[in-house]
Amino acid sequence: MMRHTRRIPYLARFVMPILGGLGLTQPAWAGNPGYDRPGYGFTPVVLDAGDIIVEQGLPDWSRDRQDGTSSSLYSADSLLRIGLGGPVELQLGSSPWNALRQTGAGGDTSIQGHGDTVLGLKLALPSSNQAFSWGLLGSVEFTDGAQAFRSERRQYLLGAQFNLQANENNSLGLYLQDVRSGGADSTTVAASDNYALGKTVTLYAEAAWLHVPDQGSGTVAGGGLAWMVTPRVQLDAGFDRRLSGAAPDWQTNLGVSIYFGH
């Protein structure tokens, strides 16, 4: 997604729904394979043919400050996941509502609008080790959003998620991502540690290194939780804080995910 200043696109790149998810350990209730929210990465498991998951930010929020101007973005990110059969899953994402507020010496501005559409495919890769799972995610982001939230060019994402179930309650995740747009590459490397508190609550901690060509590199870290309210409904909440370099000062997530399956 693109915003109306040079540094706003940097914030939006890390709040799109296609980037959500840690592959948190989930109970196999009602055939639920797990959700791509919250955090960086995705769960390297796909839906069965005909199954659907809807994941919705309520909204997610990020804040950055640069050159005396503070920017806050609220984004109701939406992700629709559809099982195609075999190891493949179709994903359709967007942010139907965004609100950007900037305050600083130049005065206050407030803009609302919808973001770009993202079309993706997830592939669950085979593994001979039951404790290890991995997958690939490829997507294209179109430039069909409102003017203030539209990317200048199409963005092409390739992500890889690696999960290791260390024991019954604890799993580790590694996410690698490259986003190419206009001949330049933006890179994300994120690691997570997820701990299940019984069958309904999972806590997570994560850290990420982010690089954007026209902004430089930075690091963030944070954590949160995912709560299975029912076998088909998950609520999530969490945050990330900038540690160093060029990165959003704060990122928070608050969302709901619903499984419509057999």
Side-chain angles (χ1 to χ4, degrees), residues 238-260:
F239 74 96
D240 285 294
R241 178 76 168 98
R242 183 180 70 87
L243 298 180
S244 65
D249 290 339
W250 288 98
Q251 299 176 108
T252 67
N253 60 271
L254 179 65
V256 60
S257 302
I258 305 173
Y259 170 64
F260 301 93

Short mmCIF file of all heavy atoms in Angstrom, two decimals, residues 238-260:
data_model
loop_
_atom_site.label_atom_id
_atom_site.label_comp_id
_atom_site.label_asym_id
_atom_site.label_seq_id
_atom_site.Cartn_x
_atom_site.Cartn_y
_atom_site.Cartn_z
N GLY A 238 -1.46 -8.30 20.19
CA GLY A 238 -0.01 -8.29 20.35
C GLY A 238 0.58 -6.96 19.93
O GLY A 238 -0.13 -6.03 19.52
N PHE A 239 1.91 -6.86 20.02
CA PHE A 239 2.60 -5.62 19.69
C PHE A 239 4.02 -5.91 19.26
O PHE A 239 4.59 -6.97 19.54
CB PHE A 239 2.63 -4.69 20.91
CG PHE A 239 3.61 -5.14 21.97
CD1 PHE A 239 4.89 -4.61 22.02
CD2 PHE A 239 3.27 -6.12 22.89
CE1 PHE A 239 5.82 -5.04 22.96
CE2 PHE A 239 4.19 -6.55 23.85
CZ PHE A 239 5.46 -6.02 23.88
N ASP A 240 4.62 -4.95 18.56
CA ASP A 240 6.05 -4.93 18.27
C ASP A 240 6.57 -3.52 18.53
O ASP A 240 5.91 -2.54 18.18
CB ASP A 240 6.34 -5.31 16.81
CG ASP A 240 6.18 -6.80 16.57
OD1 ASP A 240 6.99 -7.56 17.13
OD2 ASP A 240 5.26 -7.19 15.84
N ARG A 241 7.80 -3.42 19.07
CA ARG A 241 8.43 -2.15 19.38
C ARG A 241 9.74 -2.04 18.63
O ARG A 241 10.49 -3.02 18.51
CB ARG A 241 8.70 -2.06 20.90
CG ARG A 241 9.40 -0.76 21.34
CD ARG A 241 8.43 0.39 21.34
NE ARG A 241 8.97 1.56 21.99
CZ ARG A 241 9.53 2.61 21.38
NH1 ARG A 241 9.64 2.60 20.05
NH2 ARG A 241 9.98 3.62 22.06
N ARG A 242 10.01 -0.87 18.09
CA ARG A 242 11.28 -0.66 17.39
C ARG A 242 12.44 -0.77 18.37
O ARG A 242 12.44 -0.17 19.44
CB ARG A 242 11.31 0.71 16.73
CG ARG A 242 12.58 0.97 15.91
CD ARG A 242 12.55 2.35 15.29
NE ARG A 242 12.70 3.39 16.29
CZ ARG A 242 13.88 3.85 16.74
NH1 ARG A 242 15.01 3.34 16.27
NH2 ARG A 242 13.91 4.80 17.65
N LEU A 243 13.46 -1.53 17.98
CA LEU A 243 14.69 -1.65 18.77
C LEU A 243 15.80 -0.76 18.22
O LEU A 243 16.56 -0.16 18.98
CB LEU A 243 15.17 -3.10 18.80
CG LEU A 243 14.23 -4.13 19.44
CD1 LEU A 243 14.87 -5.51 19.39
CD2 LEU A 243 13.89 -3.74 20.88
N SER A 244 15.89 -0.71 16.88
CA SER A 244 16.97 0.06 16.28
C SER A 244 16.66 0.37 14.83
O SER A 244 15.83 -0.30 14.21
CB SER A 244 18.30 -0.70 16.36
OG SER A 244 18.25 -1.89 15.58
N GLY A 245 17.35 1.38 14.29
CA GLY A 245 17.31 1.65 12.86
C GLY A 245 15.97 2.12 12.35
O GLY A 245 15.13 2.66 13.08
N ALA A 246 15.77 1.92 11.05
CA ALA A 246 14.57 2.38 10.35
C ALA A 246 13.47 1.33 10.47
O ALA A 246 13.48 0.32 9.77
CB ALA A 246 14.89 2.65 8.88
N ALA A 247 12.55 1.55 11.38
CA ALA A 247 11.44 0.65 11.62
C ALA A 247 10.34 1.44 12.31
O ALA A 247 10.61 2.47 12.94
CB ALA A 247 11.87 -0.54 12.50
N PRO A 248 9.08 1.00 12.20
CA PRO A 248 8.01 1.68 12.91
C PRO A 248 8.26 1.69 14.41
O PRO A 248 8.75 0.70 14.97
CB PRO A 248 6.77 0.84 12.56
CG PRO A 248 7.12 0.15 11.29
CD PRO A 248 8.58 -0.11 11.36
N ASP A 249 7.93 2.81 15.06
CA ASP A 249 8.11 2.89 16.51
C ASP A 249 7.28 1.82 17.22
O ASP A 249 7.75 1.16 18.15
CB ASP A 249 7.70 4.28 17.02
CG ASP A 249 8.67 5.36 16.59
OD1 ASP A 249 9.83 5.02 16.28
OD2 ASP A 249 8.28 6.54 16.57
N TRP A 250 6.03 1.69 16.81
CA TRP A 250 5.12 0.71 17.40
C TRP A 250 4.29 0.06 16.32
O TRP A 250 3.92 0.70 15.33
CB TRP A 250 4.16 1.37 18.41
CG TRP A 250 4.80 1.78 19.70
CD1 TRP A 250 5.24 3.03 20.03
CD2 TRP A 250 5.06 0.95 20.83
NE1 TRP A 250 5.76 3.04 21.30
CE2 TRP A 250 5.66 1.77 21.82
CE3 TRP A 250 4.85 -0.40 21.10
CZ2 TRP A 250 6.05 1.27 23.06
CZ3 TRP A 250 5.24 -0.90 22.34
CH2 TRP A 250 5.83 -0.06 23.30
N GLN A 251 4.00 -1.20 16.48
CA GLN A 251 3.02 -1.93 15.68
C GLN A 251 2.18 -2.77 16.64
O GLN A 251 2.73 -3.44 17.51
CB GLN A 251 3.69 -2.84 14.66
CG GLN A 251 4.58 -2.13 13.66
CD GLN A 251 5.30 -3.12 12.74
OE1 GLN A 251 4.98 -3.23 11.58
NE2 GLN A 251 6.26 -3.84 13.27
N THR A 252 0.86 -2.72 16.50
CA THR A 252 0.00 -3.54 17.34
C THR A 252 -0.98 -4.30 16.48
O THR A 252 -1.31 -3.87 15.37
CB THR A 252 -0.79 -2.71 18.37
OG1 THR A 252 -1.73 -1.88 17.68
CG2 THR A 252 0.15 -1.84 19.20
N ASN A 253 -1.43 -5.43 16.96
CA ASN A 253 -2.45 -6.21 16.26
C ASN A 253 -3.58 -6.57 17.22
O ASN A 253 -3.37 -6.88 18.39
CB ASN A 253 -1.86 -7.49 15.66
CG ASN A 253 -1.25 -8.42 16.69
OD1 ASN A 253 -0.08 -8.30 17.01
ND2 ASN A 253 -2.06 -9.34 17.20
N LEU A 254 -4.79 -6.46 16.70
CA LEU A 254 -6.00 -6.89 17.40
C LEU A 254 -6.93 -7.43 16.33
O LEU A 254 -7.28 -6.71 15.38
CB LEU A 254 -6.66 -5.71 18.13
CG LEU A 254 -7.96 -6.03 18.88
CD1 LEU A 254 -7.66 -6.99 20.03
CD2 LEU A 254 -8.61 -4.75 19.37
N GLY A 255 -7.29 -8.70 16.42
CA GLY A 255 -8.06 -9.27 15.33
C GLY A 255 -8.85 -10.51 15.71
O GLY A 255 -8.73 -11.04 16.82
N VAL A 256 -9.66 -10.95 14.76
CA VAL A 256 -10.46 -12.16 14.92
C VAL A 256 -10.31 -13.01 13.67
O VAL A 256 -10.20 -12.47 12.56
CB VAL A 256 -11.95 -11.80 15.17
CG1 VAL A 256 -12.54 -11.02 14.01
CG2 VAL A 256 -12.78 -13.05 15.43
N SER A 257 -10.29 -14.32 13.83
CA SER A 257 -10.20 -15.27 12.72
C SER A 257 -11.27 -16.33 12.90
O SER A 257 -11.47 -16.84 14.02
CB SER A 257 -8.82 -15.93 12.68
OG SER A 257 -7.79 -14.95 12.57
N ILE A 258 -11.96 -16.66 11.80
CA ILE A 258 -13.09 -17.60 11.85
C ILE A 258 -12.90 -18.68 10.80
O ILE A 258 -12.62 -18.39 9.64
CB ILE A 258 -14.43 -16.88 11.63
CG1 ILE A 258 -14.59 -15.73 12.63
CG2 ILE A 258 -15.58 -17.85 11.77
CD1 ILE A 258 -15.81 -14.87 12.37
N TYR A 259 -13.05 -19.93 11.22
CA TYR A 259 -12.89 -21.09 10.35
C TYR A 259 -14.25 -21.62 9.91
O TYR A 259 -15.12 -21.91 10.74
CB TYR A 259 -12.11 -22.17 11.11
CG TYR A 259 -12.07 -23.52 10.42
CD1 TYR A 259 -11.44 -23.70 9.20
CD2 TYR A 259 -12.65 -24.64 11.03
CE1 TYR A 259 -11.39 -24.94 8.59
CE2 TYR A 259 -12.61 -25.89 10.44
CZ TYR A 259 -11.98 -26.03 9.21
OH TYR A 259 -11.92 -27.26 8.60
N PHE A 260 -14.46 -21.74 8.58
CA PHE A 260 -15.66 -22.32 8.00
C PHE A 260 -15.23 -23.59 7.27
O PHE A 260 -14.79 -23.53 6.12
CB PHE A 260 -16.33 -21.35 7.04
CG PHE A 260 -16.74 -20.04 7.66
CD1 PHE A 260 -15.89 -18.95 7.62
CD2 PHE A 260 -17.97 -19.91 8.28
CE1 PHE A 260 -16.25 -17.74 8.19
CE2 PHE A 260 -18.34 -18.70 8.85
CZ PHE A 260 -17.48 -17.61 8.81
#
